[in-house]
Amino acid sequence: MIDYGLIILAIIISGSAQMYINHWYNKTKKMKTAKGMNGNQTARKILDNNDLKDVGINEVAGTLSDHYDPAKKTVNLSNDIYETDSIASISVAAHECGHAIQDKNGYFFLRLRRGMVPFVNLASKLGYVAILIGIFFSILGLLKIGILLEIVILVFQLITLPVEFDASSRALKKIEEYGIVTKEELKYCKKMLRSAALTYVAGVTASFLQVLRLVLMYRRND
């Protein structure tokens, strides 16, 4: 019963966080800004004002598929974010620029997360294979390896939290500093970015519950 309870709790937490960000994204993407800057213009202004004129801005497909690519030095904005002049566009574009500024400044947690990527990719591919084989054939040693690989992923997600919160903090400071939105609009930028940050918190919580479930399973079979 405990196993099922942990699974249900993880689903509820993840689902609630996703509903929360969807609510604020859908709300703020309908709110046009007084100064009319779109996501592309916002990103360019922030990048140029922080000596990042070499960082390119690309328009990519998808919804909330926005990301900063440290290898290619590009801020990649989804269609809606790139083209529209909404609170959501301003917030998301500024957040991705926050990552670019982190990269320029050598932000510790960003460098640490980047260094972990190869290990996390390996853990993602092998973790659940080891767990499933370990459970199916009752090989506790293999199950333990799978759990350790899942812990690597959990640590990666924990390191991601300060990276995302710091990027949002930088974004809000730049939005205010450059007068991209009004004071009233800034409140909604904060709400949008806070809802996005909570999805990462929910992800960490759900992963922790999953690891806990596997550890309890291992101890029952030990």
Side-chain angles (χ1 to χ4, degrees):
M1 280 300 290
I2 294 178
D3 288 354
Y4 290 115
L6 291 173
I7 292 173
I8 292 171
L9 182 58
I11 291 172
I12 291 172
I13 290 172
S14 298
S16 298
Q18 193 59 51
M19 288 174 61
Y20 189 64
I21 188 174
N22 286 342
H23 166 74
W24 279 109
Y25 175 68
N26 289 328
K27 184 180 179 70
T28 56
K29 77 176 183 179
K30 297 174 184 176
M31 301 173 66
K32 301 297 182 181
T33 61
K35 301 190 178 179
M37 289 181 66
N38 62 26
N40 175 39
Q41 293 167 331
T42 297
R44 191 73 271 160
K45 184 177 183 68
I46 294 174
L47 292 172
D48 289 352
N49 286 354
N50 287 273
D51 297 321
L52 289 167
K53 294 182 180 180
D54 58 323
V55 174
I57 304 171
N58 297 326
E59 184 174 5
V60 297
T63 300
L64 292 179
S65 54
D66 315 85
H67 62 283
Y68 169 68
D69 187 334
K72 297 180 179 179
K73 305 297 182 186
T74 56
V75 168
N76 302 284
L77 303 177
S78 56
N79 304 125
D80 283 347
I81 300 302
Y82 187 97
E83 297 172 357
T84 61
D85 59 334
S86 66
I87 295 294
S89 299
I90 297 297
S91 304
V92 174
H95 175 86
E96 299 310 328
C97 291
H99 287 309
I101 296 170
Q102 287 175 335
D103 189 23
K104 175 196 169 190
N105 294 342
Y107 182 61
F108 172 74
F109 287 107
L110 182 68
R111 288 188 288 115
L112 181 60
R113 186 176 72 167
R114 191 184 307 165
M116 286 188 67
V117 168
F119 303 101
V120 173
N121 288 339
L122 182 64
S124 298
K125 292 176 182 177
L126 300 181
Y128 255 87
V129 173
I131 289 168
L132 290 174
I133 294 174
I135 292 173
F136 190 76
F137 292 102
S138 299
I139 306 173
L140 290 181
L142 200 56
L143 176 58
K144 186 175 182 179
I145 291 172
I147 293 171
L148 290 174
L149 291 173
E150 288 300 308
I151 290 174
V152 170
I153 296 172
L154 175 59
V155 170
F156 180 79
Q157 290 178 312
L158 283 168
I159 291 169
T160 296
L161 289 182
V163 175
E164 297 300 329
F165 277 96
D166 179 78
S168 289
S169 177
R170 292 174 191 265
L172 289 169
K173 287 178 182 177
K174 298 305 178 184
I175 289 171
E176 184 174 20
E177 180 182 348
Y178 304 144
I180 295 172
V181 299
T182 66
K183 287 187 177 181
E184 183 63 26
E185 291 169 343
L186 186 64
K187 296 177 184 177
Y188 289 99
C189 290
K190 290 178 181 178
K191 290 179 184 295
M192 173 60 204
L193 290 174
R194 188 180 300 122
S195 69
L198 284 177
T199 61
Y200 291 97
V201 175
V204 168
T205 305
S207 292
F208 171 76
L209 293 173
Q210 176 69 342
V211 169
L212 177 60
R213 185 178 72 87
L214 292 170
V215 169
L216 293 174
M217 184 187 300
Y218 175 83
R219 292 184 64 182
R220 282 200 302 269
N221 291 279
D222 190 7

